[in-house]
Amino acid sequence: MKVAVVGATGMVGHVMLQVLAERNFPVTELIPVASERSVGKTVTYKGKDYTISSMEDAIAARPDIAIFSAGGGTSLEFAPKFAAVGTTVVDNSSAWRMDPDKKLVVPEINASSLTSEDKIIANPNCSTIQMVLALAPLHKKYKIKRLVISTYQSITGTGVKAVQQLENEYKGEKGEMAYHYPIHRNAIPACDVFTENGYTKEEMKLVNETQKILGDKTIAVTATAVRIPVVGGHSEAINVQFENDFDLAEVRELLQAQEGVTVQDNPDTNTYPMPIYAEGKNDVFVGRIRRDYSQPNTLNMWVVADNLRKGAATNAVQIAEYLAAKELV
């Protein structure tokens, strides 16, 4: 299969190439694409160097699949151009997620909705993916009424500039700032930009994308998203109120049975998910599962995942795998 990776030199693009290689995706021809300034440079895939192509050359090559991680503006401009030549685009930006004509896909939950007509498929936001994968089996069984979410998000979600800022601050060196404030030894309660309602874009993604993926606009969602000086992945404290009561043992069974979820939950042995252990892994890790005694039918849990993997690259590659397996491309 002829595969283009758009944004191949970025943090997610780099992991995208790793995941394609690790999962032995059937790539017969790889077309790495990046900005004009990177054209002619090389990236490595399965031990071989590949030259970066321009967007125009990649479109002319008519790949079967193009996996995008190059920002919303690039996706809005170029995804339709790839689609016009018959390429199926899996887009990691926010550009198409809330478009009513585009599917927003976490494969374990709703890949079955995809058809050969879907030429631009949206990959959800990193913090949404890990949360809905843990919530989906519980929603099916008990029906979610309301979610209260606090996120503790890795700087890798911001990109290379943020990683460099943290490294500079570790060393006590001055340098370019990705954030308005120092991130070392700090917590910044502002992920992405603020919107008119006082919430950040990241917080609103958790509201809107959750309802769309789970197919239920009645779910009430409120979120606070915080950036912390961590590189391994995003962590989320999630308070879930259900319409129906639950049994804790059954909740654990449902989570353990969910493809892509690993339960790590044993207070006696201090076992719970942490980003330092989630880094480099494709699963979503769930722990601290306990009843909220302050109101009926309510559960607390702690959800952690590598935001560059299941939160971005792995999910996109799994969509591509589904398309290939079902011969939709």
Side-chain angles (χ1 to χ4, degrees), residues 94 158 179 190-194 200-203 205 225 227:
S94 60
T158 306
Y179 304 112
C191 295
D192 210 330
V193 298
F194 284 93
T200 62
K201 275 190 176 178
E202 187 79 8
E203 290 158 354
K205 287 171 189 174
R227 194 72 66 186

Side-chain angles (χ1 to χ4, degrees), residues 128-148:
T128 307
I129 291 172
Q130 66 186 69
M131 181 176 74
V132 294
L133 191 56
L135 291 177
L138 306 182
H139 180 54
K140 198 172 176 182
K141 181 74 180 177
Y142 310 114
K143 193 172 186 331
I144 296 169
K145 186 176 180 181
R146 182 173 187 247
L147 296 167
V148 182

Side-chain angles (χ1 to χ4, degrees), residues 151-155 165-166 169-170 177 179-190 226-230:
T151 75
Y152 307 79
Q153 296 188 213
S154 162
I155 57 165
Q165 179 182 332
L166 181 60
E169 288 169 1
Y170 276 148
M177 302 272 285
Y179 304 112
H180 294 298
Y181 302 98
I183 185 64
H184 178 42
R185 301 170 82 173
N186 198 12
I188 302 173
V226 182
R227 194 72 66 186
I228 60 169
V230 162

